[in-house]
């Protein structure tokens, strides 16, 4: 018996995939109607968390944050089966994941934080990436179950909370990447360049392919053989800012980057590779 707590877009599709594989699944959600909808797929819905976990050997969670996970598990605890396994897919803090792992172990339960880089479609199709870290014996025991839920299971070693940290790093990149795209589209609009023209540019020139090499360069900490000098990158950045001012375009990310570039130029790094702005992060 499996219990699934939190049946939003991601959780609901996880449940549907588990049902397709022949599992018996009991579900709960803060909005009861969302759990009830899954009965047509074969799940059994409950309005009470404790009732939903009763008899379950394994409990999965896809909730909002540390607070919601703690609250829901506290409500579920009285009905948990001895030795039950709790697998939490919620994006949380690394500290919270580590604390819960230790706390639930003391209570006689296994808690494993397994955040994901998966959208609803991935959850339904069992594709995408799932992250784990911590007790390797526990991970080894649960690997067949977790691997069946995702395209690739990434194990980041014995440190509790490391998987949570890796998930936050990935999400941070997605947020900044998307904010950069927003600035790009805003600039295009201001310069009377259509979305389709922007799409054509990136269909032919894919800067994303540069990411691995750029990451290695910044990680290596060598900036004395520039492919693009910081002073020149700052010159272009000023062109972005000037164009935005002239066209009344709001840029959210670029002004902050310009400030960071100026700091490093003032420190005497203007003739080094422009990636030196990331030196302080290492």
């Amino acid at each position: 018996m499996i219990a699934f707590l939190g049946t939003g877009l991601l959780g609901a599709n996880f449940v549907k995939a588990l049902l397709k594989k022949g599992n018996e699944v009991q579900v709960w959600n803060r909005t009861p109607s969302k759990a009830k909808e899954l009965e047509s797929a074969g799940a059994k819905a409950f309005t009470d968390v404790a009732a939903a976990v009763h008899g379950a050997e394994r409990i999965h969670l896809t909730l909002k944050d540390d607070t919601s996970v703690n609250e829901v598990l506290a409500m579920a605890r009285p009905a948990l089966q001895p030795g039950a396994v709790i697998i939490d897919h919620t994006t949380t803090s690394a500290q919270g994941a580590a604390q819960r792992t230790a706390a639930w172990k003391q209570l006689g339960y296994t808690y494993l934080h397994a955040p994901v880089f998966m959208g609803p479609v991935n959850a339904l199709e069992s594709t995408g990436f799932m992250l784990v870290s911590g007790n390797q014996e526990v991970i080894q025991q649960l690997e067949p179950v977790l691997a069946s839920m995702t395209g690739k299971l990434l194990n980041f070693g014995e440190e509790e909370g490391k998987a949570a940290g890796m998930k936050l790093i990935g999400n941070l990149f997605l947020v900044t990447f998307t904010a950069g795209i927003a600035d790009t589209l805003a600039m295009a609009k201001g310069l009377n360049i259509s979305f389709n023209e922007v799409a054509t540019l990136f269909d032919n020139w894919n800067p994303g392919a540069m990411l691995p090499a750029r990451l290695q360069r910044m990680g290596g900490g060598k900036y004395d053989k520039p492919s693009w000098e910081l002073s020149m990158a700052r010159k272009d950045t000023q062109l972005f800012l000037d164009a935005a001012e002239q066209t009344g375009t709001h840029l959210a990310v670029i002004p902050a980057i310009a400030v960071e570039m100026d700091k490093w130029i003032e420190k005497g790094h203007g003739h080094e590779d422009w990636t030196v702005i990331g030196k302080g992060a290492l």
Side-chain angles (χ1 to χ4, degrees), residues 88-105:
D88 185 8
H89 306 292
T90 308
T91 299
T92 69
S93 67
Q95 181 182 30
Q99 289 175 341
R100 278 186 293 278
T101 302
W104 284 96
K105 182 178 181 179

Side-chain angles (χ1 to χ4, degrees), residues 20 22 25 29 38 41 53-54 69 81 87 92 113 139 147 155 161 166 179 197 200-201 223 226 234 249 259:
K20 287 181 179 179
V25 187
N29 195 76
L38 289 169
V53 302
H54 181 74
V69 171
Q81 179 174 299
I87 303 175
T92 69
H113 190 231
I139 292 172
N155 186 342
M166 296 301 293
E197 289 170 319
T200 297
L201 171 63
Y223 310 101
R234 178 62 179 88
T249 300
V259 171

